[in-house]
Coordinates of all heavy atoms in Angstrom, one line a residue:
M195 N -25.8 -1.9 -18.3 CA -25.6 -0.8 -17.5 C -24.4 -1.0 -16.6 O -24.1 -2.0 -16.1 CB -26.9 -0.7 -16.6 CG -26.8 0.4 -15.6 SD -28.4 0.4 -14.7 CE -28.3 2.1 -14.0
Q196 N -23.6 0.1 -16.6 CA -22.3 0.0 -15.8 C -22.5 0.8 -14.5 O -23.0 2.0 -14.4 CB -21.2 0.7 -16.7 CG -19.9 0.1 -16.5 CD -18.8 0.6 -17.5 OE1 -19.2 1.6 -18.2 NE2 -17.8 0.1 -17.5
A197 N -22.0 0.3 -13.4 CA -22.1 1.0 -12.1 C -20.8 1.6 -11.9 O -19.6 1.2 -12.2 CB -22.4 -0.1 -11.0
F198 N -20.7 2.8 -11.3 CA -19.6 3.5 -11.0 C -19.5 4.0 -9.5 O -20.7 4.2 -8.9 CB -19.5 4.9 -11.9 CG -19.3 4.6 -13.2 CD1 -20.4 4.6 -14.1 CD2 -18.1 4.4 -13.8 CE1 -20.3 4.3 -15.4 CE2 -17.9 4.1 -15.1 CZ -19.1 4.1 -16.0
A199 N -18.5 3.9 -8.9 CA -18.4 4.4 -7.4 C -18.6 5.8 -7.3 O -18.3 6.5 -8.1 CB -16.9 4.0 -7.0
E200 N -19.4 6.2 -6.3 CA -19.5 7.5 -6.0 C -18.3 8.4 -5.9 O -17.4 7.9 -5.1 CB -20.6 7.7 -4.9 CG -21.0 9.0 -4.6 CD -22.0 9.2 -3.5 OE1 -22.9 8.2 -3.4 OE2 -21.9 10.0 -2.6
V201 N -18.1 9.6 -6.4 CA -16.9 10.3 -6.1 C -17.0 11.0 -4.7 O -18.1 11.4 -4.3 CB -16.9 11.6 -7.2 CG1 -15.8 12.5 -6.8 CG2 -16.8 11.0 -8.6
S202 N -16.0 10.9 -3.9 CA -16.0 11.3 -2.6 C -14.6 11.9 -2.1 O -13.6 11.3 -2.7 CB -16.4 10.2 -1.7 OG -16.2 10.5 -0.3
D203 N -14.6 12.8 -1.3 CA -13.2 13.2 -0.7 C -12.8 12.4 0.4 O -11.7 12.3 0.9 CB -13.4 14.8 -0.3 CG -13.4 15.7 -1.3 OD1 -13.0 15.4 -2.5 OD2 -14.1 16.8 -1.2
A204 N -13.8 11.5 1.0 CA -13.5 10.7 2.1 C -12.7 9.4 1.5 O -13.1 8.9 0.5 CB -14.8 10.3 2.8
P205 N -11.8 9.0 2.5 CA -11.1 7.7 1.8 C -12.1 6.6 1.8 O -13.0 6.3 2.6 CB -10.1 7.4 3.0 CG -10.0 8.7 3.8 CD -11.4 9.3 3.6
V206 N -11.9 5.7 0.7 CA -12.6 4.3 0.7 C -12.2 3.4 1.7 O -12.8 2.6 2.2 CB -12.5 4.0 -0.8 CG1 -13.2 2.6 -1.0 CG2 -13.2 4.9 -1.7
L207 N -10.8 3.5 1.8 CA -10.1 2.6 2.7 C -8.9 3.2 3.3 O -8.2 4.0 2.6 CB -9.7 1.4 1.9 CG -8.8 0.4 2.7 CD1 -9.8 -0.4 3.7 CD2 -8.3 -0.8 1.7
E208 N -8.7 3.1 4.5 CA -7.6 3.8 5.2 C -6.9 2.8 6.2 O -7.5 2.3 7.0 CB -8.0 5.1 6.0 CG -6.7 5.9 6.6 CD -7.2 7.1 7.1 OE1 -8.5 7.3 7.5 OE2 -6.6 8.1 7.4
Y209 N -5.7 2.7 6.0 CA -4.8 1.8 7.0 C -4.0 2.7 7.9 O -3.2 3.6 7.3 CB -4.0 0.8 6.3 CG -4.6 -0.3 5.4 CD1 -4.3 -0.5 4.1 CD2 -5.8 -1.0 5.9 CE1 -4.9 -1.4 3.4 CE2 -6.4 -2.0 5.2 CZ -5.9 -2.3 3.9 OH -6.6 -3.1 3.1
N210 N -4.0 2.6 9.3 CA -3.2 3.3 10.1 C -2.3 2.4 10.9 O -1.5 2.9 11.7 CB -3.8 4.5 10.7 CG -4.9 4.0 11.6 OD1 -5.0 2.9 11.9 ND2 -5.9 4.8 11.9
F211 N -2.6 1.1 10.9 CA -1.9 0.1 11.6 C -1.8 0.2 13.1 O -1.1 -0.6 13.8 CB -0.4 0.0 11.0 CG -0.4 -0.1 9.5 CD1 0.3 0.9 8.8 CD2 -1.1 -1.1 8.8 CE1 0.3 0.8 7.4 CE2 -1.0 -1.0 7.4 CZ -0.4 -0.1 6.7
D212 N -2.5 1.2 13.7 CA -2.4 1.3 15.2 C -3.7 1.4 15.8 O -3.9 1.8 17.0 CB -1.4 2.4 15.6 CG -1.9 3.7 15.1 OD1 -2.9 3.9 14.3 OD2 -1.2 4.8 15.4
S213 N -4.8 1.1 15.1 CA -6.2 1.2 15.6 C -6.6 -0.3 16.0 O -6.6 -1.1 15.0 CB -7.2 1.8 14.6 OG -6.8 3.1 14.5
N214 N -6.8 -0.6 17.1 CA -7.3 -1.9 17.4 C -8.7 -2.2 16.7 O -9.5 -1.4 16.8 CB -7.4 -2.2 18.9 CG -6.2 -2.1 19.6 OD1 -5.1 -2.5 19.1 ND2 -6.1 -1.7 20.8
G215 N -8.7 -3.4 16.0 CA -9.9 -3.7 15.4 C -10.2 -3.2 14.1 O -11.2 -3.3 13.4
S216 N -9.2 -2.3 13.6 CA -9.5 -1.7 12.2 C -9.2 -2.7 11.1 O -8.4 -3.7 11.3 CB -8.6 -0.5 12.0 OG -7.3 -0.9 11.9
E217 N -9.7 -2.5 10.0 CA -9.5 -3.3 8.8 C -8.1 -3.2 8.5 O -7.4 -2.2 8.4 CB -10.4 -2.9 7.7 CG -10.4 -3.9 6.6 CD -11.4 -3.7 5.5 OE1 -12.4 -3.0 5.7 OE2 -11.1 -4.0 4.4
E218 N -7.4 -4.3 8.2 CA -6.0 -4.3 7.9 C -5.7 -5.1 6.6 O -6.6 -6.0 6.3 CB -5.1 -4.8 9.0 CG -5.2 -4.0 10.3 CD -4.4 -4.6 11.5 OE1 -4.0 -5.7 11.3 OE2 -4.4 -3.9 12.3
P219 N -4.7 -4.8 5.9 CA -4.4 -5.6 4.6 C -3.9 -7.0 5.0 O -3.6 -7.3 6.1 CB -3.2 -4.8 4.0 CG -2.6 -4.3 5.1 CD -3.6 -3.8 6.1
T220 N -4.2 -8.0 3.9 CA -3.7 -9.3 4.3 C -2.1 -9.3 4.1 O -1.5 -8.7 3.2 CB -4.2 -10.2 3.3 OG1 -5.6 -10.2 3.2 CG2 -3.9 -11.7 3.4
L221 N -1.4 -9.8 5.0 CA 0.2 -9.7 4.9 C 0.5 -11.2 4.5 O 0.1 -12.3 4.8 CB 0.6 -9.6 6.3 CG 0.2 -8.2 7.0 CD1 0.9 -8.1 8.4 CD2 0.5 -7.0 6.0
Y222 N 1.6 -11.2 3.7 CA 2.2 -12.5 3.2 C 3.8 -12.3 3.4 O 4.4 -11.4 3.6 CB 2.1 -12.5 1.7 CG 0.7 -12.7 1.4 CD1 -0.2 -11.7 1.1 CD2 0.0 -13.9 1.3 CE1 -1.5 -11.7 0.8 CE2 -1.4 -14.2 0.9 CZ -2.1 -13.1 0.7 OH -3.4 -13.3 0.5
G223 N 4.4 -13.6 3.6 CA 5.8 -13.7 3.8 C 6.2 -13.1 5.1 O 5.5 -13.3 6.1
D224 N 7.3 -12.3 5.1 CA 7.8 -11.7 6.4 C 7.1 -10.3 6.6 O 7.7 -9.5 7.5 CB 9.2 -11.5 6.3 CG 9.9 -12.9 6.2 OD1 9.5 -13.8 6.8 OD2 11.0 -13.1 5.7
A225 N 6.0 -9.9 6.0 CA 5.4 -8.6 6.2 C 5.0 -8.6 7.6 O 4.4 -9.6 8.1 CB 4.2 -8.3 5.3
Q226 N 5.1 -7.4 8.3 CA 4.7 -7.2 9.7 C 4.5 -5.8 10.1 O 5.0 -5.0 9.4 CB 5.7 -7.9 10.7 CG 7.1 -7.3 10.7 CD 8.1 -8.0 11.6 OE1 7.8 -8.3 12.6 NE2 9.2 -8.2 11.1
Y227 N 3.8 -5.6 11.3 CA 3.6 -4.3 11.7 C 4.7 -4.1 12.9 O 4.8 -4.9 13.7 CB 2.2 -4.0 12.3 CG 1.1 -4.4 11.4 CD1 0.2 -5.4 11.6 CD2 1.1 -3.7 10.3 CE1 -0.7 -5.7 10.7 CE2 0.0 -4.0 9.2 CZ -0.8 -4.9 9.6 OH -1.8 -5.2 8.7
I228 N 5.5 -2.9 12.8 CA 6.5 -2.6 13.8 C 6.2 -1.1 14.2 O 5.6 -0.4 13.6 CB 7.9 -2.9 13.3 CG1 8.3 -1.9 12.1 CG2 8.2 -4.2 12.8 CD1 9.6 -1.8 11.7
Y229 N 6.7 -0.9 15.5 CA 6.5 0.4 16.0 C 7.7 1.3 15.5 O 8.9 0.7 15.6 CB 6.5 0.4 17.5 CG 6.1 1.7 18.1 CD1 4.8 2.2 18.1 CD2 7.2 2.7 18.6 CE1 4.5 3.5 18.5 CE2 6.8 3.9 19.0 CZ 5.4 4.2 19.0 OH 5.2 5.6 19.5
D230 N 7.5 2.4 14.9 CA 8.6 3.4 14.4 C 8.6 4.4 15.3 O 7.7 5.2 15.4 CB 8.2 3.7 13.0 CG 9.2 4.6 12.4 OD1 9.3 5.8 12.7 OD2 9.9 4.2 11.4
E231 N 9.7 4.7 15.9 CA 9.9 5.7 17.0 C 9.7 7.0 16.3 O 9.2 8.0 16.9 CB 11.3 5.7 17.6 CG 11.5 4.4 18.5 CD 10.6 4.5 19.8 OE1 10.3 5.6 20.1 OE2 10.2 3.5 20.4
Q232 N 10.3 7.2 15.1 CA 10.3 8.5 14.4 C 8.9 8.9 14.1 O 8.5 10.1 14.1 CB 11.2 8.6 13.2 CG 11.2 9.8 12.4 CD 12.0 9.7 11.1 OE1 12.5 8.7 10.7 NE2 12.4 10.8 10.4
M233 N 8.1 8.0 13.6 CA 6.6 8.2 13.3 C 5.7 8.2 14.6 O 4.7 8.7 14.4 CB 6.1 7.1 12.2 CG 6.8 7.2 11.0 SD 6.6 8.7 10.0 CE 4.9 8.5 9.7
Q234 N 6.2 7.6 15.6 CA 5.4 7.5 16.8 C 4.2 6.7 16.6 O 3.0 7.1 17.0 CB 5.1 8.8 17.4 CG 6.3 9.6 17.8 CD 7.0 8.9 19.1 OE1 6.3 8.7 20.1 NE2 8.3 8.5 18.9
S235 N 4.3 5.7 15.7 CA 3.1 4.8 15.4 C 3.6 3.5 14.9 O 4.7 3.3 14.6 CB 2.1 5.5 14.5 OG 2.8 5.6 13.1
Y236 N 2.6 2.6 14.7 CA 2.8 1.3 14.1 C 3.0 1.6 12.4 O 2.2 2.4 12.0 CB 1.8 0.3 14.4 CG 2.2 -0.3 15.7 CD1 1.6 0.3 16.8 CD2 3.1 -1.4 15.9 CE1 1.9 -0.2 18.1 CE2 3.3 -2.0 17.0 CZ 2.7 -1.3 18.3 OH 3.1 -1.8 19.5
V237 N 3.9 0.9 11.9 CA 4.0 1.0 10.3 C 4.0 -0.5 9.8 O 4.4 -1.4 10.5 CB 5.2 1.8 10.0 CG1 5.2 3.2 10.6 CG2 6.6 1.1 10.5
L238 N 3.8 -0.6 8.5 CA 3.9 -1.7 7.8 C 5.4 -1.9 7.4 O 6.0 -1.0 6.8 CB 3.1 -1.8 6.5 CG 3.2 -3.0 5.6 CD1 2.7 -4.3 6.4 CD2 2.3 -2.8 4.4
S239 N 6.0 -3.0 7.8 CA 7.4 -3.4 7.5 C 7.5 -4.5 6.4 O 7.0 -5.6 6.7 CB 8.2 -3.8 8.7 OG 9.5 -4.1 8.4
L240 N 8.1 -4.2 5.3 CA 8.3 -5.0 4.2 C 9.8 -5.2 4.1 O 10.4 -4.3 3.7 CB 7.6 -4.7 2.9 CG 6.1 -4.4 3.0 CD1 5.6 -3.7 1.7 CD2 5.4 -5.7 3.4
D241 N 10.4 -6.4 4.2 CA 11.9 -6.6 4.3 C 12.5 -6.9 2.9 O 13.6 -6.9 2.8 CB 12.4 -7.7 5.3 CG 11.8 -9.0 5.0 OD1 11.2 -9.2 3.9 OD2 12.0 -9.9 5.7
G242 N 11.8 -7.0 1.9 CA 12.2 -7.1 0.6 C 12.5 -8.6 0.2 O 12.9 -8.9 -1.0
T243 N 12.2 -9.5 1.1 CA 12.4 -11.0 0.7 C 11.2 -11.3 -0.3 O 10.2 -10.8 -0.3 CB 12.4 -11.9 1.9 OG1 11.1 -11.6 2.7 CG2 13.6 -11.6 2.8
D244 N 11.5 -12.4 -1.1 CA 10.6 -12.9 -2.1 C 9.3 -13.4 -1.4 O 9.4 -14.0 -0.2 CB 11.1 -14.1 -2.8 CG 12.1 -13.8 -3.8 OD1 12.2 -12.6 -4.2 OD2 12.9 -14.6 -4.2
G245 N 8.1 -13.0 -1.8 CA 6.8 -13.4 -1.3 C 6.4 -12.6 -0.1 O 5.4 -12.8 0.5
T246 N 7.1 -11.4 0.2 CA 6.7 -10.6 1.3 C 5.9 -9.3 0.8 O 6.6 -8.6 0.0 CB 7.9 -10.2 2.1 OG1 8.5 -11.2 2.6 CG2 7.6 -9.0 3.2
Y247 N 4.7 -9.3 0.9 CA 4.0 -8.0 0.5 C 2.6 -7.9 1.4 O 2.3 -8.9 2.1 CB 3.6 -8.1 -1.0 CG 2.8 -9.4 -1.3 CD1 1.5 -9.3 -1.5 CD2 3.3 -10.6 -1.5 CE1 0.7 -10.4 -1.8 CE2 2.6 -11.7 -1.9 CZ 1.3 -11.6 -2.1 OH 0.5 -12.7 -2.4
A248 N 2.0 -6.8 1.1 CA 0.6 -6.6 1.8 C -0.4 -6.5 0.7 O -0.2 -5.9 -0.4 CB 0.6 -5.4 2.6
E249 N -1.6 -7.0 0.7 CA -2.6 -7.1 -0.4 C -3.8 -6.4 0.0 O -4.4 -6.5 1.1 CB -3.0 -8.5 -0.7 CG -3.8 -8.7 -1.7 CD -4.2 -10.2 -2.1 OE1 -4.7 -10.9 -1.3 OE2 -3.7 -10.6 -3.2
F250 N -4.3 -5.5 -0.8 CA -5.6 -4.8 -0.6 C -6.7 -5.9 -0.8 O -6.4 -6.9 -1.5 CB -5.8 -3.7 -1.7 CG -4.9 -2.5 -1.6 CD1 -4.0 -2.2 -2.4 CD2 -4.9 -1.8 -0.4 CE1 -3.2 -0.9 -2.4 CE2 -4.1 -0.6 -0.2 CZ -3.4 -0.2 -1.2
P251 N -7.8 -5.5 -0.3 CA -9.0 -6.4 -0.4 C -9.3 -6.6 -1.9 O -9.2 -5.7 -2.7 CB -10.2 -5.8 0.3 CG -9.6 -4.8 1.2 CD -8.3 -4.4 0.7
Q252 N -9.6 -7.9 -2.3 CA -10.0 -8.1 -3.8 C -11.1 -7.2 -4.3 O -12.1 -7.0 -3.4 CB -10.1 -9.5 -4.1 CG -9.0 -10.3 -4.3 CD -9.2 -11.6 -4.9 OE1 -10.3 -12.2 -4.8 NE2 -8.4 -12.1 -5.7
G253 N -11.1 -6.6 -5.4 CA -12.2 -5.8 -5.8 C -12.2 -4.4 -5.3 O -13.1 -3.6 -5.7
L254 N -11.1 -4.0 -4.6 CA -11.1 -2.6 -4.1 C -11.2 -1.6 -5.1 O -11.9 -0.6 -4.9 CB -9.9 -2.4 -3.2 CG -9.7 -1.0 -2.6 CD1 -10.9 -0.7 -1.4 CD2 -8.4 -0.8 -1.9
F255 N -10.5 -1.8 -6.2 CA -10.6 -0.8 -7.2 C -11.5 -1.0 -8.3 O -11.6 -0.3 -9.3 CB -9.1 -0.7 -7.9 CG -8.0 -0.3 -6.9 CD1 -7.1 -1.2 -6.5 CD2 -7.9 1.0 -6.5 CE1 -6.2 -0.9 -5.4 CE2 -7.1 1.3 -5.5 CZ -6.1 0.5 -5.1
D256 N -12.5 -2.1 -8.2 CA -13.5 -2.2 -9.2 C -14.4 -0.9 -9.3 O -14.8 -0.4 -8.2 CB -14.3 -3.4 -8.8 CG -13.6 -4.8 -9.0 OD1 -12.4 -4.8 -9.4 OD2 -14.1 -5.7 -8.6
N257 N -14.8 -0.7 -10.3 CA -15.7 0.4 -10.7 C -15.2 1.8 -10.4 O -15.9 2.7 -10.1 CB -17.1 0.2 -10.0 CG -17.8 -1.0 -10.5 OD1 -17.8 -1.3 -11.7 ND2 -18.3 -1.7 -9.4
M258 N -13.9 1.9 -10.2 CA -13.2 3.2 -10.0 C -12.5 3.7 -11.3 O -11.7 2.9 -11.8 CB -12.2 3.1 -8.9 CG -12.8 2.8 -7.6 SD -11.4 3.0 -6.1 CE -12.3 2.5 -4.8
D259 N -12.8 4.8 -11.8 CA -12.1 5.2 -13.0 C -10.9 5.9 -12.7 O -9.9 5.8 -13.5 CB -13.1 6.2 -13.7 CG -14.2 5.6 -14.3 OD1 -14.1 4.4 -14.8 OD2 -15.3 6.3 -14.5
S260 N -10.7 6.7 -11.6 CA -9.5 7.3 -11.4 C -9.2 7.3 -9.9 O -9.3 8.3 -9.1 CB -9.4 8.8 -11.9 OG -10.6 9.3 -11.4
P261 N -8.8 6.1 -9.2 CA -8.5 6.1 -7.9 C -7.1 6.8 -7.5 O -6.3 7.0 -8.3 CB -8.3 4.5 -7.6 CG -7.8 4.0 -8.9 CD -8.6 4.8 -9.9
T262 N -7.2 7.3 -6.2 CA -5.9 8.0 -5.8 C -5.4 7.2 -4.6 O -6.1 6.7 -3.7 CB -6.2 9.4 -5.3 OG1 -6.8 10.1 -6.4 CG2 -5.0 10.0 -4.7
V263 N -4.1 6.9 -4.6 CA -3.5 6.0 -3.6 C -2.4 6.9 -2.9 O -1.6 7.5 -3.7 CB -2.9 4.8 -4.1 CG1 -2.2 4.0 -3.0 CG2 -4.0 3.8 -4.7
S264 N -2.4 7.1 -1.7 CA -1.5 8.0 -1.0 C -0.8 7.2 0.1 O -1.4 6.5 0.9 CB -2.1 9.1 -0.4 OG -1.3 9.9 0.4
M265 N 0.6 7.2 0.1 CA 1.2 6.5 1.2 C 2.6 7.2 1.5 O 3.0 7.8 0.6 CB 1.5 5.1 0.9 CG 2.5 4.8 -0.2 SD 2.6 3.1 -0.9 CE 1.1 3.0 -1.8
N266 N 3.2 6.9 2.7 CA 4.5 7.4 3.0 C 5.4 6.1 2.9 O 4.9 5.0 3.4 CB 4.6 7.9 4.4 CG 3.9 9.2 4.5 OD1 3.9 10.1 3.6 ND2 3.2 9.4 5.5
I267 N 6.5 6.2 2.4 CA 7.5 5.0 2.5 C 8.9 5.6 3.1 O 9.3 6.7 2.9 CB 7.7 4.5 1.0 CG1 8.5 5.5 0.0 CG2 6.6 4.0 0.3 CD1 9.0 4.8 -1.1
K268 N 9.5 4.7 3.8 CA 10.7 4.9 4.5 C 11.8 3.8 4.1 O 11.8 2.8 4.8 CB 10.5 5.0 5.9 CG 11.7 5.3 6.8 CD 11.3 5.4 8.2 CE 12.6 5.5 9.1 NZ 12.3 5.5 10.5
P269 N 12.5 3.9 2.9 CA 13.2 2.9 2.5 C 14.4 2.6 3.5 O 15.0 3.6 4.2 CB 13.8 3.3 1.1 CG 13.6 4.8 1.2 CD 12.5 5.1 2.2
Q270 N 14.8 1.4 3.7 CA 16.0 1.0 4.5 C 17.3 1.1 3.8 O 18.3 0.8 4.1 CB 15.9 -0.2 5.2 CG 14.6 -0.4 6.1 CD 14.8 0.6 7.3 OE1 15.8 0.6 7.9 NE2 13.7 1.4 7.6
S271 N 17.1 1.2 2.3 CA 18.2 1.2 1.4 C 18.1 2.2 0.5 O 16.9 2.7 0.2 CB 18.2 -0.1 0.7 OG 19.1 -0.1 -0.3
D272 N 19.2 2.8 0.0 CA 19.0 3.8 -1.1 C 19.7 3.3 -2.4 O 20.0 4.1 -3.3 CB 19.6 5.2 -0.7 CG 21.2 5.0 -0.4 OD1 21.7 3.8 -0.5 OD2 21.8 6.0 -0.1
S273 N 19.9 2.0 -2.6 CA 20.3 1.5 -3.9 C 19.6 0.4 -4.3 O 18.9 -0.2 -3.4 CB 21.8 1.1 -3.6 OG 21.9 0.1 -2.7
G274 N 19.4 0.0 -5.6 CA 18.8 -1.1 -6.1 C 17.3 -0.7 -6.1 O 16.8 0.3 -5.9
N275 N 16.5 -1.8 -6.5 CA 15.1 -1.8 -6.5 C 14.5 -1.8 -4.9 O 14.7 -3.1 -4.5 CB 14.4 -2.9 -7.3 CG 14.8 -2.5 -8.9 OD1 15.0 -1.6 -9.2 ND2 14.9 -3.7 -9.6
F276 N 14.0 -0.9 -4.4 CA 13.6 -1.1 -3.0 C 12.2 -0.8 -2.7 O 11.8 -1.0 -1.5 CB 14.5 -0.2 -2.0 CG 14.6 1.2 -2.4 CD1 13.6 2.1 -1.9 CD2 15.6 1.7 -3.1 CE1 13.7 3.4 -2.2 CE2 15.6 3.1 -3.4 CZ 14.6 3.9 -3.0
F277 N 11.4 -0.5 -3.7 CA 10.0 -0.3 -3.4 C 9.2 -0.5 -4.7 O 9.6 0.2 -5.7 CB 9.7 1.0 -2.6 CG 8.1 1.3 -2.5 CD1 7.6 0.7 -1.4 CD2 7.4 2.0 -3.4 CE1 6.2 0.9 -1.2 CE2 6.1 2.2 -3.1 CZ 5.4 1.7 -2.0
T278 N 8.1 -1.2 -4.7 CA 7.2 -1.3 -5.9 C 5.9 -1.5 -5.4 O 5.4 -2.1 -4.4 CB 7.5 -2.6 -6.5 OG1 8.8 -2.7 -7.1 CG2 6.5 -2.7 -7.7
F279 N 5.0 -0.6 -6.0 CA 3.4 -0.6 -5.7 C 2.7 -1.0 -7.0 O 3.1 -0.4 -8.0 CB 3.1 0.6 -5.2 CG 1.5 0.7 -5.0 CD1 0.9 0.2 -3.9 CD2 0.7 1.4 -6.0 CE1 -0.5 0.2 -3.8 CE2 -0.5 1.5 -5.8 CZ -1.2 1.0 -4.8
A280 N 1.9 -2.0 -6.9 CA 1.1 -2.3 -8.2 C -0.3 -2.6 -7.9 O -0.6 -3.1 -6.8 CB 1.9 -3.5 -8.9
F281 N -1.0 -2.1 -8.9 CA -2.6 -2.7 -8.9 C -3.0 -2.6 -10.3 O -2.4 -1.9 -11.2 CB -3.3 -1.7 -8.0 CG -3.7 -0.5 -8.5 CD1 -4.7 -0.2 -9.2 CD2 -2.7 0.7 -8.3 CE1 -5.1 1.2 -9.7 CE2 -3.1 1.9 -8.8 CZ -4.2 2.2 -9.4
S282 N -4.2 -3.5 -10.5 CA -4.6 -3.5 -11.8 C -6.1 -4.2 -11.9 O -6.4 -4.9 -11.2 CB -3.8 -4.6 -12.6 OG -4.4 -4.9 -13.8
R283 N -6.8 -3.8 -12.9 CA -8.0 -4.4 -13.2 C -7.8 -5.3 -14.5 O -8.1 -6.4 -14.4 CB -9.1 -3.4 -13.6 CG -9.8 -2.8 -12.5 CD -11.0 -2.0 -12.8 NE -10.3 -0.5 -12.9 CZ -11.0 0.5 -13.4 NH1 -12.3 0.4 -14.0 NH2 -10.6 1.6 -13.4
T284 N -7.2 -4.7 -15.5 CA -6.8 -5.6 -16.6 C -5.3 -5.4 -17.1 O -4.8 -6.2 -17.7 CB -7.8 -5.1 -17.8 OG1 -7.5 -3.8 -18.1 CG2 -9.2 -5.4 -17.5
A285 N -4.8 -4.2 -16.7 CA -3.4 -4.0 -17.1 C -2.6 -3.6 -15.9 O -3.1 -3.1 -14.9 CB -3.2 -2.9 -18.0
R286 N -1.3 -4.0 -15.7 CA -0.5 -3.7 -14.5 C -0.2 -2.3 -14.4 O 0.4 -1.7 -15.4 CB 0.7 -4.7 -14.5 CG 1.4 -4.5 -13.4 CD 2.6 -5.4 -13.3 NE 3.5 -5.3 -12.2 CZ 3.8 -6.3 -11.3 NH1 3.4 -7.5 -11.5 NH2 4.6 -5.8 -10.2
F287 N -0.3 -1.6 -13.4 CA 0.3 -0.3 -13.0 C 1.2 -0.4 -11.9 O 1.0 -1.0 -10.9 CB -1.0 0.6 -12.6 CG -0.4 2.0 -12.1 CD1 0.0 2.9 -13.0 CD2 -0.4 2.2 -10.9 CE1 0.3 4.2 -12.6 CE2 0.1 3.5 -10.3 CZ 0.4 4.5 -11.3
T288 N 2.5 0.1 -12.3 CA 3.5 -0.1 -11.2 C 4.2 1.0 -10.9 O 4.5 1.9 -11.9 CB 4.5 -1.3 -11.5 OG1 3.8 -2.4 -11.9 CG2 5.6 -1.6 -10.5
I289 N 4.5 1.4 -9.7 CA 5.5 2.7 -9.2 C 6.6 1.8 -8.5 O 6.4 1.1 -7.7 CB 4.8 3.5 -8.2 CG1 3.5 4.2 -8.9 CG2 5.8 4.6 -7.8 CD1 2.8 5.0 -8.0
S290 N 7.7 2.3 -9.0 CA 9.0 1.7 -8.3 C 9.9 2.7 -8.0 O 10.1 3.6 -8.8 CB 9.8 0.6 -9.4 OG 8.9 -0.5 -9.7
C291 N 10.6 2.6 -6.8 CA 11.6 3.5 -6.4 C 12.9 2.9 -6.7 O 13.1 1.7 -6.1 CB 11.6 3.9 -5.0 SG 10.0 4.8 -4.6
V292 N 13.8 3.4 -7.4 CA 15.0 2.7 -7.8 C 16.2 3.8 -7.6 O 16.2 4.8 -8.4 CB 15.1 2.2 -9.3 CG1 16.4 1.5 -9.7 CG2 13.9 1.3 -9.5
S293 N 17.0 3.7 -6.7 CA 18.1 4.5 -6.5 C 17.9 5.9 -6.7 O 18.5 6.6 -7.6 CB 19.3 4.0 -7.3 OG 19.6 2.8 -7.1
G294 N 17.1 6.5 -6.0 CA 16.8 7.9 -6.0 C 15.9 8.5 -7.1 O 15.6 9.6 -7.3
E295 N 15.4 7.5 -7.9 CA 14.3 8.0 -8.9 C 13.0 7.3 -8.8 O 13.0 6.2 -8.2 CB 14.8 7.9 -10.2 CG 15.2 6.5 -10.7 CD 15.9 6.4 -12.0 OE1 17.2 6.8 -12.1 OE2 15.2 6.0 -13.0
V296 N 11.9 7.8 -9.3 CA 10.6 7.1 -9.2 C 10.3 6.8 -10.8 O 10.3 7.6 -11.7 CB 9.5 7.9 -8.6 CG1 8.2 7.4 -8.7 CG2 9.9 8.3 -7.2
R297 N 9.8 5.5 -11.0 CA 9.5 5.2 -12.3 C 8.0 4.8 -12.4 O 7.5 4.2 -11.6 CB 10.2 3.9 -12.7 CG 11.8 4.1 -12.8 CD 12.5 2.9 -13.2 NE 13.9 3.0 -13.2 CZ 14.8 2.2 -13.5 NH1 14.3 1.0 -14.0 NH2 16.0 2.4 -13.4

């Protein structure tokens, strides 16, 4: 018997980085929360150095057939590989922003 997550319009997990006591991702390397004047809120800052990333809780995507992930990104650079998002159960799924295009 296979278990499936219930379909819902409500987020399974939501990070807003400015709620005291809210669940937050595990940060590695130089990842940190900074206040962004333009957004008027705290944001996750990843400086691109090796080993700097934020990690979702293990098993978050287990039993999900078609998860939706939504986020805003604000690159500090417009050249080179400046953003990668990846998740997987058995195969790697990656979104990369590279010099004005999304792959």
Side-chain angles (χ1 to χ4, degrees):
M195 180 176 195
Q196 210 173 10
F198 295 95
E200 186 176 320
V201 175
S202 172
D203 289 334
V206 173
L207 180 66
E208 182 176 26
Y209 296 132
N210 56 24
F211 311 122
D212 59 1
S213 297
N214 292 331
S216 69
E217 188 173 338
E218 297 176 349
T220 303
L221 304 183
Y222 294 91
D224 294 329
Q226 61 182 320
Y227 305 119
I228 61 170
Y229 190 78
D230 183 286
E231 291 292 334
Q232 184 179 10
M233 296 293 295
Q234 295 291 301
S235 67
Y236 282 89
V237 297
L238 173 63
S239 176
L240 306 170
D241 65 6
T243 56
D244 287 343
T246 295
Y247 63 97
E249 181 178 69
F250 290 122
Q252 279 197 328
L254 177 65
F255 297 107
D256 290 357
N257 300 320
M258 291 187 188
D259 288 332
S260 54
T262 300
V263 177
S264 175
M265 70 186 80
N266 294 322
I267 63 168
K268 181 180 174 182
Q270 299 297 312
S271 171
D272 62 359
S273 64
N275 296 332
F276 55 85
F277 177 78
T278 300
F279 173 76
F281 73 92
S282 172
R283 277 186 268 170
T284 57
R286 185 176 172 130
F287 172 78
T288 304
I289 298 172
S290 297
C291 295
V292 181
S293 300
E295 61 185 78
V296 176
R297 296 181 186 184

